[in-house]
Amino acid sequence: MKLRVIEGGKANEAMSADREASIRAEAERRIKATGYEQWRVRSLATGAPIPRPIQYLKMQIEFVAEKLEALNPIPGDFTDDKYWPATST
């Protein structure tokens, strides 16, 4: 007996879940590239605030990730810079 996946239903849900995880990973990669985590640790250790441009850029990246995850279908080229805010800090 040979089984095959029928297009739609669970197969599309699985692909969508993979893409959502990939979008989240891309967002985390971009946040890491801003140096946000280093600023956060510094803030926790010294009490000095995280610079506003860094905080704002992180918020923008998270917003874009949320909106990309909500799209149906999720664009195949979601890693393209045209979707994400510029990271020139």
Side-chain angles (χ1 to χ4, degrees), residues 37-50:
E37 192 59 30
Q38 292 170 334
W39 284 105
R40 187 178 151 283
V41 169
R42 178 179 170 260
S43 174
L44 292 171
T46 65
I50 299 170

Side-chain angles (χ1 to χ4, degrees), residues 28-86:
E28 290 301 321
R29 183 189 71 77
R30 288 176 181 270
I31 290 170
K32 185 177 180 182
T34 67
Y36 177 82
E37 192 59 30
Q38 292 170 334
W39 284 105
R40 187 178 151 283
V41 169
R42 178 179 170 260
S43 174
L44 292 171
T46 65
I50 299 170
R52 286 260 185 220
I54 300 290
Q55 289 178 341
Y56 187 61
L57 185 57
K58 180 182 183 281
M59 265 185 356
Q60 289 177 322
I61 292 170
E62 289 173 342
F63 178 80
V64 169
E66 183 179 312
K67 293 304 173 186
L68 283 173
E69 288 172 346
L71 291 176
N72 188 12
I74 294 172
D77 64 341
F78 65 85
T79 58
D80 193 342
D81 287 338
K82 68 184 177 187
Y83 295 109
W84 301 92

Side-chain angles (χ1 to χ4, degrees), residues 10-23 69 74:
K10 296 287 183 189
N12 285 344
E13 287 177 17
M15 275 182 42
S16 179
D18 289 344
R19 287 255 171 114
E20 287 175 12
S22 297
I23 290 171
E69 288 172 346
I74 294 172

